[in-house]
Amino acid sequence: MKLFSLSQMDERITLHSPTTLPKASGFLWNSQMMINMNCRGYAVAQFMQPEPAKYSHGPAIEATTFMQPEHPYYAHHPGRFFYIKTDKHCFSLPYEPMRAPLDSFAFTAGHNEVTWQIQQSGLLFDLVLSLVDDDCIEHWQLNVKNTTSTNIELSLYPYFSVGYKSWMNQSADFEEATSSIVARAITPYQKVDDYFKNQALKDITFLSAETAPDFWSCNQASFEGEGGLHNPDGVNQPNLTNDKSAYQTPAAVMQYQISLQANEQKSFKFLFGAVKSDEEIAQKRQHFEASKPDKNGQCQQRLTMHSQHSAFDHFINYWLPHQVSYHGESNRLTTDPQTRNYLQDALGCSYLDSLKTRQAIITALSQQHISGAMPDGILLHKDATLKYINQVPHTDHCVWLPLTLAAYLDETNDVSILSHQIPYQDSDELDSVKDHLDKAMCHLLDATDERGLSLIAQGDWCDPMNMVGYKGKGVSAWLTFATAYALKTWQYCYEHYVLTPLPTFFKEIAYLNAAANNYFWHNQWFGRGITDEGRLFGTDKDAQGSMFLNPQSWAFLSGALDKSKFAQITDLIDQHLNTPFGVQMLAPAYTEMVEDVGRVTQKFPGVAENGSVYNHATAFYIYSLYQAGLADKAYAALNTMIPNLEDASIRGQLPNFIPNYYRGDYAGNPDTAGVSSQLFNTGTVAWVYRIVIEELCGLKGQKGDLLIQPKLPSHWQFLQVKRYFQGAHFEVNYQRKAVQEIEVFVDSQSINGNIITTISPQNTYKVDVWLPK
Amino acid sequence: MKLFSLSQMDERITLHSPTTLPKASGFLWNSQMMINMNCRGYAVAQFMQPEPAKYSHGPAIEATTFMQPEHPYYAHHPGRFFYIKTDKHCFSLPYEPMRAPLDSFAFTAGHNEVTWQIQQSGLLFDLVLSLVDDDCIEHWQLNVKNTTSTNIELSLYPYFSVGYKSWMNQSADFEEATSSIVARAITPYQKVDDYFKNQALKDITFLSAETAPDFWSCNQASFEGEGGLHNPDGVNQPNLTNDKSAYQTPAAVMQYQISLQANEQKSFKFLFGAVKSDEEIAQKRQHFEASKPDKNGQCQQRLTMHSQHSAFDHFINYWLPHQVSYHGESNRLTTDPQTRNYLQDALGCSYLDSLKTRQAIITALSQQHISGAMPDGILLHKDATLKYINQVPHTDHCVWLPLTLAAYLDETNDVSILSHQIPYQDSDELDSVKDHLDKAMCHLLDATDERGLSLIAQGDWCDPMNMVGYKGKGVSAWLTFATAYALKTWQYCYEHYVLTPLPTFFKEIAYLNAAANNYFWHNQWFGRGITDEGRLFGTDKDAQGSMFLNPQSWAFLSGALDKSKFAQITDLIDQHLNTPFGVQMLAPAYTEMVEDVGRVTQKFPGVAENGSVYNHATAFYIYSLYQAGLADKAYAALNTMIPNLEDASIRGQLPNFIPNYYRGDYAGNPDTAGVSSQLFNTGTVAWVYRIVIEELCGLKGQKGDLLIQPKLPSHWQFLQVKRYFQGAHFEVNYQRKAVQEIEVFVDSQSINGNIITTISPQNTYKVDVWLPK
């Protein structure tokens, strides 16, 4: 049986079994919400009011937490199910909770829709989930067709989880006026102030049916009965008994008694989501009229490529920009994105919607302290506060400013941003973006010790590396290199966009790199840092965590390593960190607490920062490999990172997103190595998109010009790329030819060098590029 | 089929069906933990380290919350199950998760054990849960006997939920050395300080088997497979496959392959709980040797009664002191019990373990502010902080000091406590307990407005009545009466125990009562308060919340009402508040927010403070009825409160505890009226125990003497009571006789009056009491 298929025409990916990749899912979002819809019917949905909230809950009082990797499902996990009962069979769509065998199953993840086509008992079901624009509402459509030549009588029971909503007040009832199950609740609180704060909350979960059901139930326990969710009493009885929920766990269940003649089909539509009032439900029913897909899922295709690796192309063309857009538009469903994440997500937007990047840079800098320091999170709402990890001080946030700004300037040539005047978090004094950046760079330089090494405090890029320097002395090798690279990048911006006065960072960069080489180098590679007690760690003296990926990549980016030495280290990386599922962030994974390193060593071996294939770090590595001209190694790492159909059953996900990690600890936990975290929030995708555009395809902007400097893997014989840049369209055709060096033709005219200048917006440029064989 | 049975010999109550009262449960506790074990196999267990923690979790990341009423169960809820597979049948003990029919089922709740006896497929199972002393360990014993005349081969699979323990690190493996499944985790945290705080946490959940199993699994998902928890792949396969959990949801599952000849039986023992290290597991295995019941469950029987109502007697003799002890010993599993609860729980201890009461009074007073105010919660551990509702200021905490102290003095005659010197929370100045009480009384008097009415701020006894006075003006009728009653009680203490100087509270009490009569009386009863805007509420002008129970009861206790007027009000209470399941706290229940009353009006109608049969308020009412000499009405209310077998299927609980409420809103939600909250934390029990001892049985202490003043319901012809008081035993025999007034005989000698004086410890007094017919 065919397990997977990719559409050649569009972004669709189809899975043909509900059991092979039980956690396979699609994710949809709009400006208000996100739903991660699992192929078997379980769902994780969140909306913003302004903090993330849920309208469909589990049966216990769940903790409010940030999005976690490897989310577990269980029988009563929030889901969207349709029980089907004929006189012969009983089963459920899409698969949960009955898990009955189906004649055929096809789950299709798209950008704007998640769909299933299922056949069973002579019936053909087409089930479609899409989101309504700019609202917290799921739109469900179910077509059921009798594919036999005889009449079929069936009952259809949509079952939408509502779950435990509130210990103060929760109930549900069917409202005839809107053919809706309305589950009311009051978000629990105890302090008077919260009463007023909670006024704006959408506390109603509703399931509205286009066609009024014959029967219904709002009472989870009475519907389920002794039969269990997999075989509920409600379905085993002839009719649902129209039970309310009165401070009992609610569920939204309806029953339709349907008679289908041969080849007849019927269609049902449902809306499910959160509202504040009954009046709103009536208004929302207009969405039954138009079931157009949500525009938010349609991101601009600013780059399409056609290579000899069509599955790779498919991911790059359709899913990668989708995921980049998701980050830029959703801010990862938080009101206080970590500054590092916010800036890198904005970096990705440079290539899709650069106004977002501009605004993000300005928003972030307007929260900079006048000292130059960046806060740990950027507050996106007046009521937002720093939460979770943003309450722990990290030292790297300034690093990402010039990196994002440089990418933005290269892509847009919008030098006006540099003189844009903005205040500080703690001062109304207005300074230009350039001056803000200068302050940030000075702050990074100030945050070094007497040796010139960057202090790590309670963490740098690696959040849980929180005890290297918590006593105030520990230093980070990565951060020292990153500081030098940030300065180098800012200098690049000065040289190309500020122009005058010329920067004066050469000395500082050289000093940082020299100090780092002096103190962090051990034997054959760089350590990760020096602890408060003066211990260099991340070296071959350590039995665990003996090699870290990031310091090596960034030492090259910063200029602390030359190409040849870096090339040698990449061989050691292959030896110590590489696995069939990608490069581990560190190895061997820690199995016990190292008190002068910190929380990272307590995470489960091979998970997240403790030695997983942490794709964000891999993306930095790939970027540095391309900078070093190691195109084949870079492509190999890139290709391994991008999920594919060949090893999908190991990774456990479809190739519709890059997860934040694949399990590592290939040596210690081989059985789980390669398993996807299923978490699609990751700074990885901005870098991968940049890498593909600027490095692999080699179409990088600079001062409004387009540099043609492709870094194709040596086995690629051709590459066709369409790229939108500076308002113009470029159709680039790379071919291997018997040439000595790259030759570029624009509209069939050979040009001098590899830079396309004086670009006219709206123009379409046909570019032929000959590459040496 | 017989559904229930009560043991005549001891505290045991047996339920003969797993489906009639699906939430029926027993609860066990020791100094470290509490487990609420459901008849079908689900469990809620908590232990203190020092904050409440769990070693068996649900499958989602659950919120940390206070104990909630009407706890919902679901398939993957934490449980303790035993799957049984023979060549013919497959079922699970005690009932979940397979829910297969059983030939016979008996669930027995005892003080020290929860047991099941189950028959199925020719096998007889005896399953016993007890707790190990002073440790966080469940002791399980399963005897399985072949009751047939032929050999039976079976597999036994204990399945103990471990659940989602940590997003940082969770895993499980079988350790041969201790025949244990060891589920390790690291309590998640992000701040460095928490690393050090968490050092002491018991992060290991273990299941240790006396007899090594043949096979095992630690991996919830792989054990369950596609079959589901009700029909797991693990059980359907011949053998478990010894799967570890590596950052996957753990479970503790073992498999024993057993062959039983005719009439042969085998026994299995397991320990399940929390430890800090592997070494501890090895030590804990000593508990396999001794399976003696936990002493903590054995409370002293200081009162036993024998009336014509044996089920009532059973509850009073066995279960009521058990529940009173639980409160005193466990402090409701919190490190910051609400001051009101802490003092009333201590009041209950006066009759069982009065040293605890003494210590609690001293502990509470040592946290009094020098202003006289009591804090909202009493901190019982150096690291404890005020949490949840204790972060909201309440105005009644001082009220409970004289009430508890008076009961303690009456029971113990320990006048030494009055001169015991203790400091304040915010001052090292030492003052006597008497002086502390004086300060508390002055604080109550100070917290009144210009009319002499008690300010309510953000709540009084009724926690969620938080918006009557949050602007600083609103006053509470209940609190005004309670202040007067507290003064009256303190005056009683002065008169009987302090002696000199005589109190000067008469004027204040009269003033409070007059002011209350003046401002809170409306039409036929007292309102509940006057809001910040000057609105009297809780009167017949209100469509909802038109009558409240507490102001009426306490108006009589305070002396604001005379007996005859109170008697009239009790008729109105019957009319407006009474239901077949008890007296509602208010009626009609609110169905929408009243912004000048507050959060109580947002609770679901008939639930908790919003018009349930809130037993704590009913206990006050019963106490006031007895004070008014309305013995028949008092007994009727008391008898209705105590759960029984007759309407158990409506209430949904066994008669082994008084819940904090039964659902009210009998008018608006008749289907759920009477349903038990299942929550056994309640200030009710201290009062009910006091009421039974001092009022119903009429054996009240005073200055070391025993007052004989029974208030038997008029239909009771006799009552025999054994009462332990002042170290002596009293065997009291009440009989109706043709006498005009009570006559008392001690050791067959008639005494003058009804007071037994000069009591000799260790003595046993035979007391005969003749009561008028």
Side-chain angles (χ1 to χ4, degrees), chain A residues 708 710 732-735 742-745 767-771:
Chain A
I708 314 287
V732 185
N733 187 14
Y734 292 111
Q735 297 169 77
I742 184 170
E743 291 185 25
V744 180
F745 305 82
V767 183
D768 288 285
V769 183
W770 294 357
L771 302 172

Side-chain angles (χ1 to χ4, degrees), chain B residues 339-375:
Chain B
T339 304
R340 176 195 313 132
N341 296 342
Y342 184 67
L343 289 170
Q344 290 177 88
D345 293 349
L347 186 158
C349 286
S350 301
Y351 309 98
L352 293 172
D353 185 358
S354 63
L355 277 179
K356 275 214 173 66
T357 314
R358 189 182 209 275
Q359 188 52 52
I361 291 169
I362 289 168
T363 300
L365 285 176
S366 68
Q367 296 182 28
Q368 187 180 25
H369 294 274
I370 190 127
S371 69
M374 290 296 289

Side-chain angles (χ1 to χ4, degrees), chain A residues 40 169 189 195 226 595 602, chain B residues 169 189 195 226 595 602:
Chain A
R40 292 160 66 112
N169 192 325
Y189 71 96
Y195 169 69
E226 289 291 327
E595 287 203 345
Q602 291 185 292
Chain B
N169 193 325
Y189 71 96
Y195 168 70
E226 289 292 326
E595 287 203 346
Q602 292 185 292

